[in-house]
Amino acid sequence: YTQCEGSFQNEITTASYEPDPAISGENLTVTIAGMSTVTVQEGATLNVTGLYQGKQAFVHNMDFCKVWVEVNGDKCPVSPGYFEYTTHLPIGPHPDDPKNTTISYDLIIQ
C-alpha cells in the first residue's frame, strides 16, 4: 500500500487484506489504519477504485461509519487521532470473471 500523492487530513497509512490473493465469491478481511487530523462525521465515505491493466475495473463507494467504524464497536463522529479498523467485505463473482485465473488489481483508496 502506498499513499496517493497530495495532502490529506485523514490519512490511511496501512492497508492489508486476507486472503491474498482475494478469491471471487468469498469474503475479504480488510484492515486499515492511519492518522486523522479532523473529526470523521456521519456520512463520510471511503472510495476504492480497482484498476486492471491501467483501466478502471470497478469502484466501491462505502459509508465509512457503517462499513468500518460501527463494525468495530465505535460510532461517528470519530475524534482526530490514530485509527485502526477491520471489516469483512464480500467479493461478489462477476459473470465476466475468468475461470482458474488470478487477476491483480491496482487499488486507489480515497
Side-chain angles (χ1 to χ4, degrees):
Y1 171 79
T2 56
Q3 179 71 36
C4 296
E5 289 185 27
S7 177
F8 301 92
Q9 294 175 325
N10 296 339
E11 196 173 317
I12 296 171
T13 56
T14 304
S16 63
Y17 62 91
E18 292 180 351
D20 184 5
I23 300 169
S24 181
E26 295 189 10
N27 280 339
L28 188 66
T29 300
V30 183
T31 300
I32 60 171
M35 186 63 68
S36 62
T37 59
V38 297
T39 300
V40 176
Q41 300 290 344
E42 188 74 36
T45 59
L46 179 91
N47 303 313
V48 177
T49 303
L51 305 174
Y52 178 65
Q53 296 180 341
K55 295 183 181 175
Q56 182 176 307
F58 61 84
V59 175
H60 296 296
N61 300 311
M62 296 172 250
D63 183 310
F64 187 78
C65 294
K66 289 182 177 147
V67 175
W68 297 92
V69 177
E70 292 177 10
V71 299
N72 283 273
D74 293 331
K75 60 182 178 177
C76 286
V78 177
S79 297
Y82 176 79
F83 64 87
E84 183 173 337
Y85 297 116
T86 297
T87 195
H88 305 284
L89 302 172
I91 300 187
H94 188 276
D96 295 333
D97 287 344
K99 306 298 181 223
N100 302 314
T101 302
T102 299
I103 299 175
S104 292
Y105 293 99
D106 296 319
L107 298 178
I108 299 170
I109 301 173
Q110 300 173 312

